[in-house]
Amino acid sequence: MPYTIFAYNCIMNRITINILFLFLVACAPSQKNSETLVNGRNIITRNAMVVSAHPQASYIGASILARGGNAVDAAVATELALAVCYPEAGNLGGGGFMVIRKADGKSFVIDYREKAPGSASRDMFIDGDGNVPEGVSTDTHLASGVPGTPDGMITANSRHGRLPFRDVIQPAIDLAKNGFRITAIQASDLNSNRENFINRNSVNTAFVKDGPWKEGDLLVQEDLARTLERIRDNGREGFYSGVTALLIEEEMKRGNGVISRQDLLTYSASEREPLTSAYRGYRIITVPPPSGGGVILIQLLKMTEQYNFGEWGFNSYQAIHLIAEAERRAFADRAEHLGDPDFMNVRVSQLLDTGYLRSRMSTFDPERATSSADILPGAPGAYSSEQTTHYSVVDKDGNAVSATTTLNGTFGSSIVVQGAGFLLNNQMDDFSVKPGLPNMYGLAGGEINAVSSGKKMLSSMTPVIVEKDGKLFFVAGSPGGSTIPTTVYQIITNVIDYGMGIQESVDAGRFHHQWLPDMITFEKSRIDNTASAALREMGHVLRERSSIGRVSAIMIRADGTIEGGADKRGDNTSCGF
Ligand code: DON
């Protein structure tokens, strides 16, 4: 089928990103495509699309689609490419969640979240005086959970892909070997993290060069290419045993880390039942625990569904007040009631019970902010910066993938496995390392999310797929730590309650409340002064932030064409045909 480009809403943006793209793909692995790919922001195609945080990864994913791969093949190729060209968050050493919706309407979740090592224990981050020394759960070898991404990608490909794994991993190998041109944002990310790379690694890494990085510099990762080749040639054994496992073991010894050979051998990704719910007649498909993101998202949708806030005006003070109050209540529940369901009793159906959620909103005062001190976690059952990355894929048959993956902090712990070229995550900080003490996103949690051997740390990642009339409607997700579920909630309500297209929904201003600290953070210059003054008047504390989230989304429009929603807050790019 010939490719078609329909509309461009933001010509300047498109021109800028296309110049950047042409520059960046100049050394992309050569692909024999039967389709010509279009890319940028504000693009609409007829057949298929990938939106991710980096132009190279979107290009690689879309190339796989053009060669006849399905959405899962493209997702795996995109994620492995992100592990090379977006080391801030793309990874082999991290983990994530993938939602798959097949064209026949069946949906699946692949949980490849990291696990605590076997020797991890509840008080491993607490010293003899009962304090938590700063940085141990974020900046050291102990910060790393057992990586899940390699097995997650192999599982997704073997159960749901169409192309052989070696075909979907090869573009990432070529990218690591030949190098890629970094963007201006990446030059700044690498320069700001320079000291961490130097201080936390005993040898030089690919991420540090003699002088400062500049936009357009070539980043080559030979060790990473060899690790990817071992995975290509040996499957999961290429990472979880053999040479790579040995290199991880040696890295752990060097830095007093605790991930063992046995931890690697026994890690496996799992398939879980998706979490689903209705919202104003649409069907929401998202992730269950050990991500709390899906539960928070559905709680927010259900708590606010009884109000027609679409008529109150977009980002009006009344709508922001309502949503912030729902967020306050949802995040209070998160702290007390969400953790790894393989270890703890997580009462998902009670937390999502409509009667329970209505009762949570019974203290909502349309005129005044409630104080978070007065909002305790509920009793469900009584009623019948950071860097992560999200990509979205839709193929020409209507299969879709929504996946969020992370190392936790930007570049994870900044520790590179010597000889293997990939960064270790610092996901252990997502546990409540000392119950009650807030983590790096200010999220407090209780015993339910305490550290335990082999347990998964609670996540906020919220990949989502939305159906309309039983058909695929849109795919979305975002990074942003605690702000992920509230960002995804706003993408959904922007479309459903405010009638926005997907790029418009992604561009729109965002805000966030997470119970504690008791404040609404909002994007500077995206919420008008009258609304912020009215919210302060109602008793809310407001704090400006330069940006919240970096969404990658795709929508199927009424005429069947496909619209990309690529966030200009980052280098996010849509690519399709
Ligand atoms: O799993 C989580 O919820 C966090 N580790 C995500 C971190 C994140 O999104 C950082 N990005 N901005």
Side-chain angles (χ1 to χ4, degrees):
M1 246 209 201
Y3 76 91
T4 314
I5 313 166
F6 287 87
Y8 306 116
N9 297 330
C10 180
I11 296 199
M12 281 321 292
N13 238 340
R14 184 178 154 70
I15 290 172
T16 317
I17 194 127
N18 275 348
I19 292 169
L20 173 69
F21 184 83
L22 289 174
F23 182 51
L24 289 166
V25 298
C27 61
S30 65
Q31 302 273 346
K32 292 254 177 317
N33 296 319
S34 52
E35 309 281 353
T36 305
L37 303 178
V38 290
N39 64 83
R41 294 201 184 98
N42 298 287
I43 71 161
I44 295 174
T45 64
R46 194 186 281 288
N47 296 294
M49 192 177 285
V50 176
V51 185
S52 83
H54 198 283
Q56 283 279 5
S58 300
Y59 174 80
I60 285 174
S63 302
I64 290 287
L65 292 174
R67 286 167 51 186
N70 68 12
V72 177
D73 294 321
V76 172
T78 304
E79 176 141 353
L80 293 168
L82 286 165
V84 178
C85 65
Y86 194 55
E88 291 94 327
N91 63 81
L92 291 183
F97 294 90
M98 180 184 285
V99 183
I100 302 169
R101 182 188 181 277
K102 301 254 174 92
D104 64 6
K106 292 200 182 84
S107 50
F108 308 84
V109 166
I110 304 201
D111 162 5
Y112 49 105
R113 180 72 162 166
E114 301 92 320
K115 280 184 175 172
S119 65
S121 59
R122 186 185 181 283
D123 295 338
M124 66 185 279
F125 295 107
I126 303 178
D127 67 16
D129 301 324
N131 299 321
V132 175
E134 211 184 303
V136 183
S137 66
T138 52
D139 308 344
T140 70
H141 290 68
L142 281 180
S144 185
V146 184
T149 299
D151 198 52
M153 294 307 103
I154 290 163
T155 303
N157 172 258
S158 66
R159 296 200 190 159
H160 304 284
R162 189 186 286 157
L163 297 180
F165 187 67
R166 60 170 39 246
D167 289 5
V168 294
I169 196 173
Q170 191 60 43
I173 297 173
D174 296 339
L175 198 60
K177 249 193 211 160
N178 301 333
F180 69 97
R181 302 276 170 194
I182 62 168
T183 68
I185 294 180
Q186 291 190 290
S188 151
D189 286 347
L190 287 163
N191 291 334
S192 338
N193 205 57
R194 181 186 170 89
E195 294 308 311
N196 291 340
F197 288 132
I198 293 173
N199 296 337
R200 296 180 200 166
N201 292 283
S202 46
V203 293
N204 206 0
T205 72
F207 305 117
V208 175
K209 65 186 211 86
D210 289 346
W213 290 95
K214 299 184 306 302
E215 177 182 11
D217 281 350
L218 191 67
L219 176 53
V220 176
Q221 297 167 84
E222 283 164 5
D223 287 343
L224 180 60
R226 280 188 285 273
T227 300
L228 287 161
E229 282 171 341
R230 286 191 292 274
I231 301 173
R232 175 195 64 195
D233 297 340
N234 305 303
R236 56 164 284 130
E237 283 72 36
F239 186 90
Y240 294 96
S241 53
V243 175
T244 315
L246 190 68
L247 291 169
I248 297 173
E249 197 175 42
E250 284 170 358
E251 186 59 51
M252 288 296 138
K253 277 195 201 128
R254 259 192 301 279
N256 300 317
V258 293
I259 296 177
S260 69
R261 205 53 105 77
Q262 191 60 17
D263 291 329
L264 293 166
L265 272 179
T266 53
Y267 181 89
S268 71
S270 41
E271 218 166 80
R272 294 188 186 272
E273 265 309 295
L275 200 58
T276 60
S277 178
Y279 178 68
R280 302 202 198 281
Y282 295 80
R283 185 161 176 262
I284 312 295
I285 307 167
T286 185
V287 289
S291 180
V295 170
I296 295 175
L297 172 66
I298 294 175
Q299 284 197 324
L300 292 177
L301 291 168
K302 285 192 168 188
M303 280 193 269
T304 54
E305 193 177 18
Q306 53 185 311
Y307 305 90
N308 275 331
F309 59 89
E311 291 166 10
W312 302 352
F314 175 69
N315 278 357
S316 62
Y317 75 91
Q318 297 95 328
I320 294 176
H321 173 59
L322 167 73
I323 294 163
E325 289 300 326
E327 290 174 352
R328 186 197 302 284
R329 287 157 175 82
F331 277 91
D333 271 0
R334 180 197 197 273
E336 180 75 17
H337 296 301
L338 294 176
D340 182 352
D342 294 342
F343 277 70
M344 312 300 282
N345 177 21
V346 184
R347 293 176 294 156
V348 173
S349 58
Q350 288 99 324
L351 285 163
L352 298 183
D353 179 79
T354 308
Y356 167 66
L357 292 169
R358 291 226 161 166
S359 84
R360 291 289 277 161
M361 286 304 274
S362 64
T363 52
F364 168 64
D365 177 345
E367 308 294 331
R368 293 295 306 162
T370 319
S371 161
S372 284
D374 297 334
I375 296 287
L376 297 174
Y383 301 78
S384 241
S385 154
E386 48 179 293
Q387 214 56 259
T388 290
T389 192
H390 180 86
Y391 57 90
S392 295
V393 185
V394 172
D395 70 18
K396 64 179 169 35
D397 299 318
N399 301 300
V401 172
S402 182
T404 315
T405 182
T406 188
L407 288 164
N408 195 24
T410 308
F411 302 110
S413 63
S414 301
I415 298 166
V416 178
V417 175
Q418 202 172 305
F422 64 87
L423 284 153
L424 290 169
N425 69 77
N426 55 358
Q427 218 76 249
M428 293 295 281
D429 192 64
D430 272 353
F431 280 115
S432 306
V433 295
K434 180 176 172 183
L437 191 81
N439 72 0
M440 71 160 102
Y441 303 103
L443 289 168
E447 283 300 334
I448 196 159
N449 187 35
V451 188
S452 182
S453 161
K455 188 177 174 186
K456 291 182 171 173
M457 53 300 275
L458 182 61
S459 173
S460 300
M461 291 188 274
T462 318
V464 73
I465 297 181
V466 178
E467 280 177 10
K468 181 183 183 179
D469 303 328
K471 294 201 190 94
L472 178 63
F473 183 26
F474 66 90
V475 182
S478 179
S482 55
T483 67
I484 297 174
T486 56
T487 294
V488 173
Y489 169 86
Q490 286 170 88
I491 295 296
I492 294 174
T493 52
N494 288 352
V495 171
I496 296 178
D497 293 85
Y498 295 107
M500 295 184 194
I502 204 72
Q503 183 69 56
E504 189 187 359
S505 167
V506 170
D507 291 344
R510 302 185 188 129
F511 61 90
H512 169 77
H513 197 301
Q514 60 178 52
W515 180 46
L516 296 174
D518 188 350
M519 62 169 70
I520 298 174
T521 51
F522 70 102
E523 288 183 318
K524 204 174 161 171
S525 73
R526 288 203 169 103
I527 288 178
D528 70 45
N529 290 341
T530 343
S532 48
L535 287 161
R536 287 197 173 96
E537 192 65 21
M538 294 168 103
H540 288 285
V541 175
L542 267 67
R543 204 191 69 199
E544 284 182 7
R545 251 174 94 150
S546 55
S547 84
I548 299 179
R550 285 184 184 181
V551 174
S552 292
I554 304 177
M555 175 187 272
I556 313 299
R557 306 193 324 157
D559 62 0
T561 56
I562 303 173
E563 183 189 0
D567 210 323
K568 59 183 176 210
R569 295 164 178 86
D571 291 317
N572 300 44
T573 308
S574 307
C575 190
F577 59 92

